[in-house]
């Protein structure tokens, strides 16, 4: 159909949030009434601007470009999330059956973590970019190979990846609403469900996503087919946490104003949504701003990833679809996105909220709304600011701004509790107990208001658990 993008070649550079609730029962409280959003200062980078509402703004990174200083300067400055462009795909990670190679993938992962960024995993099960050995298989042998691949890759990155695109592009283009006739589909219609169940068992902490393209327009058959699958999975308890909308907008697959409706309808099923591979033919500033505002308008939208840094890094450079010109200069679309992020909703994603001390009635607060690693936490009057909005992730982290974690600077009594860029360490993981205590996984010590203090500015530390009011917390 004319509204769909033309079929894409099999070989190309680009071939194709972390949020669990602080459970009310765990912290012994009931629902929250959230005050109107508070104003915030404008940020001057995309990642920092997105983090004001607990979202991320990411990019695809190619390992072969990490030696390009202009590339890494922009990527390091602007983005707070990274997706490996090709390095985590099947042919790259398992070139021979049972022989995994993570050299290139780890290069991207390590660069991201060293630069304070979260990582999205892309992708585990896909009809394309399969190595020759996998292409030669069929039936039960192929099914077992898929399961083995998911287990092998997820074991390597267990506890380290924020979101995994478990299955990629399983629906056919056009108006049929059918599954794509791939070798994986021919192993049985349950292959997607099996992939998600395998992934959940392999890494229970990872957020599991289904990812596809040409599914942004709510009226399209492919969108409706994907929606029916996600609805069915949620009804039957198949472990799916999020849906990724690639959002490669072009003349054959244009942006439509009902994209926000699409995001809202999927979110209403009980899954998070994310814009995973955004590029826009011609880089229309208006369209980029519209897409950004669509994400900001949906509380369960985790964030946005653009598919490349500069136009010359794009998988379709002739379309000049990205936010930076080939020389690294910012395009009008960049300014439009930054303005949208700075002027958009400050309402954090669903399940974010303040953590209030039982003894003090004051909230866990980042002083001065700082985003600087090493900033020690304190008690402060609850004000629903973004510096008081905490989300408990599947990995056990307590995140603020989307990319900063509650972090213990050591293991002993009196250890400073601070914010630090999330990197997956046990000193950033916390157990939320039924008595209201919050215990560090690494130390076994409790989150504690120093000296049983209750005043504004009282610092937060680790200390032996005593069940005092200064060590008990509620979600308010």
């Amino acid at each position: 159909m004319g509204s769909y993008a033309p079929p894409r070649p099999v070989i190309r550079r680009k071939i194709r949030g972390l949020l669990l609730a602080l459970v009310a029962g765990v912290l012994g409280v009931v629902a929250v009434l959230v005050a109107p959003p508070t104003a915030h200062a404008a940020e001057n980078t995309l990642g920092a601007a997105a983090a004001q509402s607990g979202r991320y703004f990411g990019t695809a990174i190619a390992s072969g470009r990490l030696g390009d200083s202009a590339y890494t300067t922009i990527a390091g400055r602007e983005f707070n999330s990274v997706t490996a462009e090709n390095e985590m795909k099947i042919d790259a990670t398992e070139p021979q059956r049972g022989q995994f190679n993570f050299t290139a993938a780890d290069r991207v992962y390590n660069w991201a973590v060293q630069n304070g960024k979260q990582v999205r995993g892309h992708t585990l099960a896909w009809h394309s970019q399969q190595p020759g050995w996998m292409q030669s298989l069929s039936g039960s042998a192929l099914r077992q190979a898929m399961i083995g691949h998911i287990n092998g890759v997820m074991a390597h990155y267990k506890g380290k990846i924020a979101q995994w695109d478990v299955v990629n592009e399983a629906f056919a283009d056009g108006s049929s609403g059918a599954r794509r006739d791939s070798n994986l589909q021919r192993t049985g219609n349950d292959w997607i469900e099996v992939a998600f169940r395998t992934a959940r068992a392999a890494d229970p902490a990872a957020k599991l996503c289904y990812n596809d393209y040409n599914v942004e327009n709510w009226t399209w058959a492919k969108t409706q087919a994907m929606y029916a699958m996600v609805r069915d999975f949620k009804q039957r308890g198949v472990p799916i946490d999020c849906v990724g909308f690639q959002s490669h907008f072009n003349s054959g697959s244009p942006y439509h104003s009902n994209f926000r409706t699409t995001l809202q309808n999927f979110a209403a099923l009980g899954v998070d949504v994310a814009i995973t591979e955004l590029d826009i033919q011609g880089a229309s500033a208006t369209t980029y701003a519209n897409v950004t505002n669509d994400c900001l308008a949906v509380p369960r939208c985790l964030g946005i990833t653009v598919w490349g840094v500069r136009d010359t890094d794009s998988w379709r450079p002739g379309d000049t679809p990205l936010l930076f010109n080939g020389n690294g200069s910012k395009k009008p679309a960049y300014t439009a996105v930054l303005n949208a992020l700075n002027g958009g909703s400050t309402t954090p994603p669903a399940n974010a909220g303040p953590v209030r001390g039982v003894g003090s009635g004051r909230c866990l607060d980042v002083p001065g709304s700082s985003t600087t690693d090493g900033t020690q936490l304190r008690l402060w009057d609850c004000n629903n600011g973004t510096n008081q909005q905490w989300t408990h992730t599947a990995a056990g982290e307590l995140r603020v701004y989307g990319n900063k974690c509650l972090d213990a600077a050591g293991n002993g009594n009196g250890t400073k509790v601070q914010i630090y860029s999330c990197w997956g360490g046990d000193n950033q993981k916390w157990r939320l107990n039924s008595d209201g205590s919050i215990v560090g996984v690494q130390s076994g010590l409790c989150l504690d208001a120093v000296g049983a203090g209750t005043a504004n500015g009282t610092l937060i530390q680790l200390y032996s658990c005593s069940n005092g009011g200064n060590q008990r917390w509620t979600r308010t």
Side-chain angles (χ1 to χ4, degrees):
M1 290 178 62
S3 60
Y4 285 83
R8 293 173 293 169
V10 172
I11 301 299
R12 56 193 186 272
R13 177 176 295 126
K14 170 65 202 75
I15 309 195
R16 255 301 77 190
L18 314 228
L19 306 179
L20 289 181
L22 278 167
V23 181
V26 171
L27 293 183
V29 295
V30 294
V32 182
L33 292 176
V34 179
T38 56
H40 54 73
E43 297 286 353
N44 59 9
T45 66
L46 300 171
Q52 293 173 115
S53 64
R55 293 169 175 83
Y56 61 81
F57 202 98
T59 190
I61 290 292
S63 63
R65 297 184 186 273
L66 289 176
D68 179 341
S69 61
Y71 178 87
T72 55
T73 295
I74 296 170
R77 180 188 73 226
E78 292 291 341
F79 304 104
N80 58 356
S81 176
V82 161
T83 304
E85 186 170 354
N86 287 297
E87 291 78 0
M88 291 187 184
K89 292 175 181 173
I90 308 169
D91 56 353
T93 52
E94 195 178 2
Q96 302 297 324
R97 187 168 189 178
Q99 298 178 19
F100 291 89
N101 185 336
F102 297 104
T103 302
D106 283 351
R107 189 177 184 207
V108 174
Y109 175 84
N110 291 335
W111 181 88
V113 172
Q114 289 162 9
N115 286 276
K117 305 176 193 314
Q118 70 171 42
V119 180
R120 296 192 73 256
H122 175 78
T123 179
L124 296 169
W126 188 26
H127 70 276
S128 189
Q129 279 186 267
Q130 295 177 3
W133 67 264
M134 183 176 280
Q135 295 177 40
S136 69
L137 299 178
S138 61
S140 61
L142 177 59
R143 177 66 66 86
Q144 288 307 307
M146 178 192 77
I147 292 171
H149 180 77
I150 293 171
N151 282 327
V153 175
M154 293 191 80
H156 182 76
Y157 289 110
K158 187 173 183 179
K160 298 179 178 179
I161 299 292
Q163 306 165 37
W164 268 111
D165 290 334
V166 178
V167 173
N168 199 44
E169 302 177 358
F171 287 91
D173 291 322
S175 59
S176 69
R179 293 277 187 90
R180 182 188 298 273
D181 181 24
S182 69
N183 61 347
L184 291 169
Q185 178 64 27
R186 291 190 292 273
T187 69
N189 201 55
D190 64 337
W191 75 273
I192 301 177
E193 176 176 345
V194 169
F196 275 90
R197 292 192 185 280
T198 302
R200 175 66 88 229
D203 186 356
K207 192 178 289 292
L208 308 181
C209 307
Y210 177 80
N211 192 54
D212 216 326
Y213 67 97
N214 285 358
V215 288
E216 295 78 21
N217 188 318
W218 177 244
T219 67
W220 285 355
K222 189 174 181 181
T223 309
Q224 293 299 311
M226 183 173 76
Y227 179 84
M229 180 191 74
V230 175
R231 181 178 58 196
D232 171 63
F233 280 9
K234 294 300 291 183
Q235 289 172 345
R236 293 192 295 110
V238 178
I240 184 170
D241 303 310
C242 49
V243 177
F245 298 82
Q246 293 181 14
S247 305
H248 295 293
F249 295 117
N250 55 51
S251 57
S253 179
Y255 170 82
H256 192 283
S257 60
N258 69 18
F259 184 31
R260 185 177 303 186
T261 298
T262 303
L263 296 175
Q264 290 169 331
N265 287 342
F266 275 86
L269 292 176
V271 293
D272 294 323
V273 294
I275 297 167
T276 55
E277 306 182 17
L278 178 64
D279 51 27
I280 299 171
Q281 184 177 24
S284 161
T286 299
T287 304
Y288 261 108
N290 286 341
V291 172
T292 304
N293 283 321
D294 289 340
C295 179
L296 291 171
V298 180
R300 295 200 73 150
C301 185
L302 299 174
I304 298 170
T305 299
V306 288
W307 206 250
V309 177
R310 305 161 299 192
D311 284 337
T312 47
D313 307 314
S314 172
W315 67 287
R316 47 180 197 172
D319 285 349
T320 60
L322 296 175
L323 299 176
F324 294 88
N325 291 304
N327 63 7
S329 61
K330 299 171 181 176
K331 299 162 74 169
Y334 171 94
T335 303
V337 169
L338 186 65
N339 288 343
L341 292 170
N342 278 321
S345 168
T346 59
T347 303
N351 303 324
V355 177
R356 185 189 299 265
V358 170
S360 65
R362 292 190 164 90
C363 281
L364 199 61
D365 178 280
V366 184
S369 298
S370 173
T371 59
T372 302
D373 285 347
T375 301
Q376 187 169 7
L377 275 292
R378 66 180 181 180
L379 293 178
W380 201 260
D381 291 333
C382 300
N383 56 34
N384 279 301
T386 55
N387 63 322
Q388 294 184 353
Q389 301 294 319
W390 300 90
T391 56
H392 190 218
T393 74
E397 303 157 327
L398 281 164
R399 288 192 175 225
V400 67
Y401 309 133
N403 65 339
K404 298 292 182 180
C405 276
L406 190 72
D407 177 288
N411 294 311
N413 280 338
T415 293
K416 177 173 76 168
V417 175
Q418 60 190 3
I419 59 165
Y420 209 86
S421 297
C422 299
W423 65 279
D426 283 347
N427 68 316
Q428 294 185 344
K429 295 178 181 177
W430 305 87
R431 290 193 301 270
L432 279 54
N433 298 318
S434 58
D435 62 0
S437 63
I438 299 178
V439 176
V441 168
Q442 184 181 74
S443 66
L445 301 177
C446 275
L447 200 67
D448 176 284
V450 171
T454 60
N456 277 338
T458 299
L459 296 176
I460 305 300
Q461 63 180 2
L462 290 181
Y463 213 82
S464 299
C465 299
S466 64
N467 201 37
N470 65 319
Q471 292 186 350
R472 288 185 289 121
W473 308 87
T474 64
R475 171 77 177 273
T476 62

